[in-house]
């Protein structure tokens, strides 16, 4: 993994100070672990101080809670006491005003969440944030280009594929410079360094007679994996930048021009900076596109990545006829594809600094269907190998819970924590052996810790900026950090062994993200069937036509979900998780898995339903639809021997971990509300 920062500017070059660690110069590098750690810690210490308003909230928490309880009683009384409604409404306003005075962030705090920076110092601030993404090696380069432009590049590397290769990479034979963030799973480079593979592929395409431009485009289009990139072709003054086909790694950019339409500044980076003026807003690079910046003209052209676009199967012959499908055969085929995707993501972990006696692998773990399937696939893979060269594979299942002052629930009481314990225990009993050991790592987040880190998370997740983004991002942020947790492991007699104050050292984390988008796991997928009425004698044709329309709507929803996942989830999650020097990998979002599920799995095996008769309190009966989301994935869980999780319902992480609406008085806050 690599943190990418690339800048084109004009005028006087201002070299980064980098928190005082390095003197200003046109080139510097560091592989000194302590030096890099000090730089990262300086950035953390400057962003994690409690602000005056945060301290006030903590001190007033008891009073705020008491006022909120009074407010709720008044609200409940208003409708029941019409004679005193005006008086009660005044009391309601008075109490709400008191709560706001004690708990609402003041203007200064909100101002500090956005940075007022001149363009030249943008680069400095980004460097200090990006350094945490690559704790193994840092390099800064600055050099002139034509027409008064100069280039500044910074790379922060977490090395997980050997041999180690420094970045940026200058391919002198053809005068291109490459920055690459991510992992490739092309068969030709599965056992080698992926950045070397890219340079060799570009050279090969050029040597085969293709133009430089087409050689670079073809190389990018042929890459398979989880990545973002910047390629500068110095001879043609073109910059190629973008993300993989799904958008699993973050890359943002901003482009400022002068009055003549020429570039005054261009930055593309793994992380963005929010600003007050809004004049230099960053844009997330789209997936499926290669961006090409022409430095001389200042224009950006986009080229679509050439990929087959699979489409979910929809046909009258299969809908509603589950018995007509060869379900077992389909599950076996899916197992082959999904297992291969998982193997690729766990077999390509070769850290520069060994982690003997520590977990080499972690899973973001709620205990639910998707992440448990990933864990089950990993457990089976290692146990089938019988041996791992004498080393036991340690896998940390990272589960997070929040102490929520609004609900007064503890982290241990959160739904995800309860389910995670159950799923971990079953996984450990089934798979723990001489070759693999699943351990549960319980990460509890108190209210003060949430206050201390939320401002940093807001900056990291930008340009995502809603309440829901914060509640999801901060859950992943603390889970991936994996610090100060309680580790649960099983001994030989299946007794739980507890270790306090445990920190997970796993550099690679796996996620079950993508399963909902592929297998129809959201409530909005059910809503596609709202128009469907129970079949009745004589309306068979109308019923089938409506059913077809419902599945066509579901098909459209799923296609949009995969197309937009880069913008809704992936960039945000990458920015917050990678800030800890951790890399996230997604077995469900491997291209072969996506292609298989979208082209081979019929829609009625994703969202299966039955009709059920229910009786209300008055004894009146009615027939309603009973949908089962992710039906085939649930059958696959049973195929893996994970029967306990087969019937678990979908629960969003912000509700399962209780990270949503952490502030008292947020009852009416919506997830789609923009952060103030």
């Amino acid at each position: 993994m690599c943190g990418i920062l690339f800048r084109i500017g004009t005028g006087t070059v201002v070299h980064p100070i980098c928190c005082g660690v390095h003197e200003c110069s046109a080139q510097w590098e560091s592989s000194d672990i302590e030096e890099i750690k000090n730089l990262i810690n300086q950035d953390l210490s400057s962003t994690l101080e409690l602000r005056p308003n945060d301290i006030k909230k903590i001190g007033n928490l008891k009073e705020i809670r008491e006022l909120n309880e009074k407010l709720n009683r008044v609200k409940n009384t208003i409708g029941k006491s019409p004679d005193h409604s005006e008086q009660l409404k005044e009391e309601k306003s008075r109490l709400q005003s008191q709560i706001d005075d004690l708990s609402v962030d003041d203007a200064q705090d909100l101002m500090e969440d956005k940075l007022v920076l001149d363009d030249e110092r943008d680069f400095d601030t980004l460097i200090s944030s990006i350094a945490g993404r690559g704790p193994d090696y840092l390099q800064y380069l600055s050099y002139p280009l034509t027409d008064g432009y100069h280039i500044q590049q910074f790379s922060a590397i977490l090395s997980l594929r050997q041999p180690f290769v420094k970045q940026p990479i200058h391919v002198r034979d053809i005068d291109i410079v490459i920055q690459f963030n991510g992992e490739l799973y092309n068969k030709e480079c599965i056992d080698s360094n992926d950045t070397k593979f890219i340079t060799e592929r570009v050279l090969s395409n050029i040597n085969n007679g293709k133009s430089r431009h087409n050689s670079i485009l073809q190389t990018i289009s042929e890459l398979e994996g989880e990545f973002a990139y910047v390629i500068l072709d110095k001879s043609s003054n073109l910059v190629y930048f973008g993300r993989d086909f799904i958008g699993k790694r973050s890359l943002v950019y901003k482009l400022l021009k002068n009055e003549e339409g020429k570039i005054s500044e261009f930055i593309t980076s793994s992380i963005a900076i929010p600003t007050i003026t809004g004049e230099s807003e960053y844009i997330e690079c789209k997936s499926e596109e290669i961006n090409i910046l022409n430095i001389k003209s200042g224009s950006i052209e986009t080229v679509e990545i050439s990929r087959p676009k699979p489409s979910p199967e929809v046909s009258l012959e299969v809908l509603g006829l589950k018995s007509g499908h060869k379900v077992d055969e389909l599950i076996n085929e899916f197992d082959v594809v999904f297992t291969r995707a998982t193997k690729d993501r766990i077999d390509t972990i070769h850290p520069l600094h060994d982690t003997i006696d520590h977990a080499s692998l972690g899973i973001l773990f709620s205990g639910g269907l998707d992440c448990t399937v990933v864990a089950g696939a990993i457990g089976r893979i290692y146990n089938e190998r019988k041996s791992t060269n004498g080393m036991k594979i340690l896998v940390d299942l990272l589960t997070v819970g929040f102490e929520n002052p609004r609900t007064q629930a503890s982290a241990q009481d959160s739904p995800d924590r309860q389910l995670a314990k159950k799923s971990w225990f079953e996984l450990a009993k089934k798979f723990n052996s001489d070759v693999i050991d699943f351990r549960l790592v319980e990460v509890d987040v108190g209210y003060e810790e949430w206050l201390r880190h939320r401002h940093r998370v807001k900056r990291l997740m930008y340009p995502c900026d809603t309440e829901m983004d914060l509640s999801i991002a901060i859950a992943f942020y603390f889970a991936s950090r994996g610090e100060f947790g309680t580790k649960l492991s099983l001994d030989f007699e299946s007794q739980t062994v507890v270790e306090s104050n445990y920190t997970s050292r796993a550099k690679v984390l796996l996620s079950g993200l993508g399963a909902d988008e592929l297998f129809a796991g959201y409530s909005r997928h059910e809503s596609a069937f709202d128009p469907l009425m129970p079949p009745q004698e004589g309306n068979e044709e109308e019923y089938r036509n409506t059913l077809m329309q419902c599945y066509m709507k579901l098909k459209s929803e799923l296609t949009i979900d995969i197309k937009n996942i880069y913008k809704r989830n992936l960039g945000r999650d990458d920015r917050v998780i990678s800030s800890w020097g951790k890399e996230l990998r997604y077995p469900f979002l491997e291209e072969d898995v996506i292609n298989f599920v979208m082209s081979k799995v019929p829609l009625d095996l994703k969202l299966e339903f039955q009709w059920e008769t229910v009786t209300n309190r008055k004894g009146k009966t009615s027939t309603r639809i009973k949908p089962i989301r992710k039906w085939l994935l649930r059958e696959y869980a049973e195929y893996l021997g994970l029967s306990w999780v087969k019937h678990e319902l979908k629960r969003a992480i912000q509700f399962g971990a209780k990270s949503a609406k952490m502030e008292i008085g947020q009852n009416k806050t919506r997830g789609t509300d923009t952060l103030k």
Side-chain angles (χ1 to χ4, degrees), residues 192-470:
S192 63
N193 185 282
D194 35 27
T195 48
K196 289 187 69 175
F197 170 76
I198 295 171
T199 59
E200 291 166 359
R201 183 60 64 94
V202 173
L203 285 168
S204 174
N205 286 332
I206 290 175
N207 291 335
N208 287 335
K210 291 185 172 62
S211 67
R212 295 172 63 92
H213 177 67
N214 287 336
S215 293
I216 294 171
L217 290 180
Q218 182 175 331
T219 298
I220 295 170
S221 295
E222 291 171 346
L223 302 181
E224 299 174 10
E226 302 155 345
F227 59 87
Y229 58 88
V230 179
I231 301 175
L232 167 65
D233 184 350
K234 294 173 71 174
S235 68
S236 61
N237 290 306
L238 296 178
V239 181
Y240 303 78
F241 62 101
R243 303 160 73 178
D244 64 71
F245 182 60
I246 301 299
K248 287 163 279 191
R249 291 287 175 267
S250 170
L251 195 69
V252 298
Y253 72 94
K254 75 170 184 178
L255 175 61
L256 301 180
K257 298 183 180 181
N258 58 26
E259 294 178 354
E260 289 77 37
K262 300 293 185 180
I263 295 174
S264 59
E265 182 181 52
F266 169 80
I267 289 180
T268 185
S269 169
S270 299
I271 297 175
I273 292 182
T275 58
I276 291 173
T277 62
E279 292 178 359
S280 57
E281 296 290 342
Y282 285 81
I283 300 169
E284 288 222 51
C285 293
K286 294 181 179 180
S287 60
E288 300 185 333
E289 286 184 354
I290 301 170
N291 302 282
I292 308 167
L293 171 69
N294 187 310
I295 297 174
K296 288 191 174 181
S297 69
S299 63
I300 295 179
E301 173 192 359
T302 58
V303 175
E304 188 172 321
I305 297 176
S306 177
R307 286 286 197 279
K309 290 186 169 53
S311 179
E313 180 183 339
V314 184
S315 69
L316 286 171
E317 286 71 32
V318 300
L319 288 179
L321 299 175
K322 186 174 63 178
S323 60
H325 296 297
K326 296 179 180 178
V327 174
D328 291 344
E329 182 179 324
L330 199 60
I331 288 175
N332 285 328
E333 291 179 26
F334 173 73
D335 181 52
V336 171
V337 177
F338 185 72
T339 300
R340 184 170 60 243
T342 306
K343 280 181 178 178
D344 286 348
R345 280 152 183 78
I346 63 177
D347 286 347
T348 50
I349 304 174
H350 309 291
L352 186 64
H353 303 284
D354 209 348
T355 54
I356 296 174
D357 299 328
H358 290 285
S360 59
L361 183 65
I363 301 175
L364 296 178
F365 195 71
S366 67
L369 176 66
D370 308 338
C371 59
T372 303
V373 164
V374 173
I378 291 171
R380 189 187 62 175
I381 289 168
Y382 281 119
N383 276 319
E384 287 180 350
R385 289 177 179 174
K386 306 294 184 187
S387 173
T388 52
N389 297 322
M391 291 181 60
K392 180 180 283 192
I393 301 298
L394 306 177
V395 182
D396 284 345
L397 306 178
L398 300 162
T399 177
V400 66
F402 288 75
E403 171 202 330
N404 192 312
R406 184 180 60 84
T407 62
Q408 299 188 47
S410 71
Q412 287 291 327
D413 292 333
S414 63
D416 277 3
R417 179 59 51 79
Q418 302 302 311
L419 181 57
K421 282 184 175 178
K422 175 185 174 182
S423 288
W424 157 73
F425 188 77
E426 297 295 339
L427 282 166
K429 282 200 305 180
K430 182 175 179 61
F431 293 109
N432 280 12
S433 64
D434 292 338
V435 295
I436 188 170
D437 189 0
F438 284 110
R439 301 98 60 84
L440 185 69
V441 181
E442 299 178 336
V443 179
D444 295 348
V445 183
Y447 180 54
E448 181 177 330
E449 188 78 345
W450 179 84
L451 285 172
R452 189 182 298 276
H453 286 261
R454 67 178 176 134
H455 305 290
R456 181 174 190 241
V457 174
K458 284 183 184 180
R459 291 184 184 179
L460 285 170
M461 73 184 197
Y462 177 82
C464 296
D465 63 352
T466 68
E467 289 284 351
M468 182 170 66
D469 285 319
L470 176 60

Side-chain angles (χ1 to χ4, degrees), residues 175-187:
D175 210 16
I176 66 171
V177 184
I178 299 173
Q179 287 178 280
F180 180 81
N181 168 33
E183 306 296 334
L184 293 181
Y185 303 111
N186 296 70
K187 292 177 182 178

